[in-house]
Amino acid sequence: MTIVKQISLFDIHQLLEMESSHRFDSVFRTIDIQPIFQLFSKKTMKGAPREINYGAMIQSLIVRIIERIPTIKDLVKRLVHDPLFRLDCRFLVSDAVPSEASYSRMIQVISESEVVDGMQDTLIRIAILEGFLDDDHLGFDATHFESRDAAKSGEKKEVKAPKKRGRKAKAEREAWLVEEAKKAANLTTYEKELKDQLAISLEVLWKDAPIEPNWGVKKNSDGKNTFWYGFKGHLAVSTKSQYIVARMMTSASVSDSKLAIPLLKKVQQLCEGHFSTGMFDAGYDYEPIYRQLATYKMRSVIPYNIRNEGEFIGFDEHYRPTCVREHSYRYDSYDSKYHTLKFTQPKECATCPLRHDSLCQKVFKIKCDTDLRKFTYPARGTELWKQLYKERTAVERVNAYLKLYFQLNNVRHRTGKKAKLHFNLVTLIYNACKLAVDRINASLQEQSHAA
């Protein structure tokens, strides 16, 4: 009898426990730092030579996150006292260790550019080309992290005069309508209604996202409000391979739902047609999000969130039709050509005295366009819908990885731009570690087949 030897999969935890030189080499091979290095290249051959090894400084910033070194001060101290660590960061023996001020100036320059966004996109395309990002389901969620900036005291609101009761006079109403129109015209991109994002380009949505720290609030598992001063990180994660395909950072006060459409547009720009399903929690249950998913021919898996709505007569809690005796019809199939859900008679019809009555309808066909929120494919309440929604936990797992192992919670810079750079570096390094792990696993499998 042949004994098959099972290969244990190599994961991120094992990568982080490797010898430092091998660990850093594996990660550096997945990241091309040239776009950042070009920001510091000399424009001309004339003048004094550079005294700072910017390439090594960039790599040491990456190492700081991998090694979970809390501050730049601690990074500089370790570079001074640990020659092997200095060599691992690619500093030469003849190089002087950069000062904290040098790192601060470099971080300021990088935060003013968009090069890290381009590096992230390049890494995702490489993962797709090499076959490591081959799944087609995306999970969406947001996670919060605190700012280094001190919380600002809230402005005192002016006490408004009580509104007059009754209908406004004609002249007063016209003046009020003009004032409301002016307010609507002056709204920022993310203050407008969610449906307005459908017609706004990705470039505008990306550029106008507010990134300055402010107060955020959300309910915890006990149903109580928790507050923090800082930011939100919004992620679109592939549920099987767990790559961060798209990500954005915003101020803490921005609603999670306001970033769903920008992330979807980013995914479509980056890898058009690659993903087939988008999974969100109930906080994203808004019609424009369903419409954007339908535009990209993606399936929507979002729990229904009842908002001051009356009873939907003739349907059960999963929006399946019900018979006269309120038994739910059974989901049968989906017609992709006409975007129609087909439901057949309930199993209780076999013994129902009304089964031959004209009130008993054998088949229901409902177009999804009737109401994109209620009638989705996969149909609500089906086993397929439940299985797909379980996959959404992948994005929550990635959020935990970023906070536990990649220092997302440890923002050491002030201002929104530098915090955004920290967030972008954390997500880039996480993806780089994923790609390094996948390459190691592929190499191990090749060696086992060769043996």
Side-chain angles (χ1 to χ4, degrees):
M1 182 177 177
T2 305
I3 297 175
V4 179
K5 185 179 179 181
Q6 295 289 338
I7 302 173
S8 59
L9 291 177
F10 191 88
D11 61 13
I12 285 184
H13 298 280
Q14 290 170 287
L15 176 72
L16 297 177
E17 291 171 2
M18 286 173 62
E19 186 182 340
S20 60
S21 58
H22 297 311
R23 177 168 69 251
F24 301 154
D25 287 342
S26 300
V27 176
F28 290 156
R29 279 196 291 267
T30 64
I31 303 177
D32 180 12
I33 66 168
Q34 283 302 313
I36 301 178
F37 186 74
Q38 292 299 322
L39 296 174
F40 305 96
S41 61
K42 290 184 63 177
K43 306 301 179 185
T44 176
M45 297 297 291
K46 298 179 181 179
R50 293 183 310 183
E51 296 181 357
I52 298 177
N53 188 340
Y54 283 107
M57 285 180 69
I58 295 165
Q59 290 179 318
S60 66
L61 283 180
I62 295 171
V63 168
R64 174 186 161 248
I65 291 175
I66 298 172
E67 289 288 279
R68 285 170 266 177
I69 300 173
T71 64
I72 296 295
K73 181 177 181 180
D74 292 324
L75 174 64
V76 172
K77 187 183 295 184
R78 184 163 175 185
L79 287 170
V80 169
H81 297 292
D82 190 343
L84 292 178
F85 178 75
R86 193 159 61 244
L87 292 173
D88 287 340
C89 293
R90 302 297 188 269
F91 283 99
L92 301 177
V93 176
S94 57
D95 289 333
V97 174
S99 64
E100 292 179 57
S102 298
Y103 275 103
S104 179
R105 287 191 293 269
M106 185 179 73
I107 289 168
Q108 177 65 35
V109 171
I110 301 172
S111 67
E112 297 290 340
S113 72
E114 301 294 331
V115 294
V116 180
D117 288 327
M119 292 167 66
Q120 179 82 276
D121 295 348
T122 301
L123 195 148
I124 290 298
R125 290 192 180 101
I126 290 172
I128 293 173
L129 286 172
E130 294 185 10
F132 300 126
L133 208 171
D134 58 350
D135 45 327
D136 60 350
H137 299 166
L138 279 178
F140 293 76
D141 201 6
T143 186
H144 71 278
F145 55 102
E146 295 185 359
S147 168
R148 182 71 173 169
D149 302 70
K152 298 177 182 177
S153 58
E155 297 179 359
K156 291 184 178 180
K157 295 182 179 179
E158 297 180 2
V159 179
K160 294 182 180 179
K163 293 182 180 180
K164 293 181 181 179
R165 298 180 66 181
R167 186 180 296 177
K168 292 182 174 66
K170 185 176 180 181
E172 188 180 353
R173 176 171 174 76
E174 288 178 354
W176 177 78
L177 289 172
V178 170
E179 185 181 351
E180 290 297 308
K182 286 182 180 178
K183 286 181 181 178
N186 292 327
L187 291 176
T188 63
T189 302
Y190 285 86
E191 289 174 341
K192 294 179 181 178
E193 292 186 25
L194 194 59
K195 63 183 180 181
D196 295 328
Q197 291 187 354
L198 295 171
I200 301 175
S201 67
L202 173 62
E203 289 71 23
V204 175
L205 291 171
W206 206 262
K207 182 183 67 175
D208 291 353
I211 58 173
E212 291 307 314
N214 58 20
W215 283 102
V217 58
K218 71 170 186 177
K219 289 189 181 296
N220 59 20
S221 57
D222 297 325
K224 296 181 180 179
N225 287 337
T226 57
F227 301 87
W228 77 97
Y229 186 79
F231 312 98
K232 276 184 182 177
H234 306 264
L235 305 180
V237 174
S238 57
T239 58
K240 179 184 171 185
S241 55
Q242 296 184 14
Y243 280 91
I244 300 173
V245 181
R247 78 282 174 273
M248 287 184 72
M249 190 203 81
T250 64
S251 306
S253 60
V254 179
S255 170
D256 296 359
S257 60
K258 289 290 182 73
L259 273 296
I261 291 174
L263 287 175
L264 283 168
K265 290 187 175 184
K266 180 64 176 178
V267 170
Q268 185 70 4
Q269 181 201 63
L270 191 59
C271 39
E272 184 177 354
H274 185 84
F275 294 96
S276 66
T277 309
M279 288 157 282
F280 303 79
D281 63 27
Y284 294 85
D285 180 37
Y286 292 93
E287 195 270 345
I289 297 175
Y290 291 90
R291 193 161 296 283
Q292 189 69 67
L293 286 163
T295 301
Y296 295 148
K297 297 181 180 179
M298 293 176 66
R299 299 181 294 182
S300 54
V301 179
I302 311 173
Y304 196 85
N305 194 357
I306 299 175
R307 301 185 182 91
N308 300 323
E309 301 172 25
E311 184 182 358
F312 199 48
I313 299 173
F315 294 84
D316 66 6
E317 70 275 14
H318 298 302
Y319 300 99
R320 294 173 296 192
T322 56
C323 67
V324 178
R325 301 184 71 181
E326 297 190 354
H327 296 304
S328 298
Y329 276 65
R330 292 176 292 178
Y331 170 74
D332 180 82
S333 60
Y334 170 73
D335 188 337
S336 59
K337 182 178 180 181
Y338 298 103
H339 305 291
T340 302
L341 300 174
K342 179 182 177 183
F343 297 90
T344 56
Q345 282 182 319
K347 60 183 180 180
E348 289 84 0
C349 284
T351 57
C352 180
L354 300 175
R355 62 184 179 277
H356 300 302
D357 195 275
S358 60
L359 294 174
C360 186
Q361 187 171 331
K362 291 184 178 181
V363 174
F364 268 99
K365 289 186 178 181
I366 304 174
K367 282 187 171 291
C368 294
D369 293 339
T370 305
D371 191 325
L372 291 174
R373 288 178 62 208
K374 293 181 175 69
F375 307 114
T376 64
Y377 174 69
R380 297 184 179 280
T382 60
E383 284 301 316
L384 178 58
W385 192 98
K386 294 174 183 177
Q387 289 171 9
L388 288 173
Y389 188 68
K390 286 179 181 178
E391 293 184 19
R392 198 196 67 84
T393 56
V395 67
E396 297 174 353
R397 199 173 300 116
V398 171
N399 284 335
Y401 285 155
L402 296 182
K403 290 182 176 181
L404 290 173
Y405 301 108
F406 294 92
Q407 299 199 74
L408 178 59
N409 270 335
N410 185 31
V411 178
R412 308 301 298 186
H413 313 293
R414 300 187 188 276
T415 75
K417 285 185 177 180
K418 290 183 179 179
K420 182 181 176 182
L421 172 62
H422 174 79
F423 172 76
N424 286 343
L425 278 176
V426 165
T427 52
L428 174 67
I429 294 166
Y430 167 83
N431 276 342
C433 289
K434 284 293 299 178
L435 184 55
V437 166
D438 286 339
R439 285 175 173 174
I440 291 171
N441 279 325
S443 176
L444 290 174
Q445 289 178 4
E446 287 178 6
Q447 290 175 15
S448 68
H449 290 319

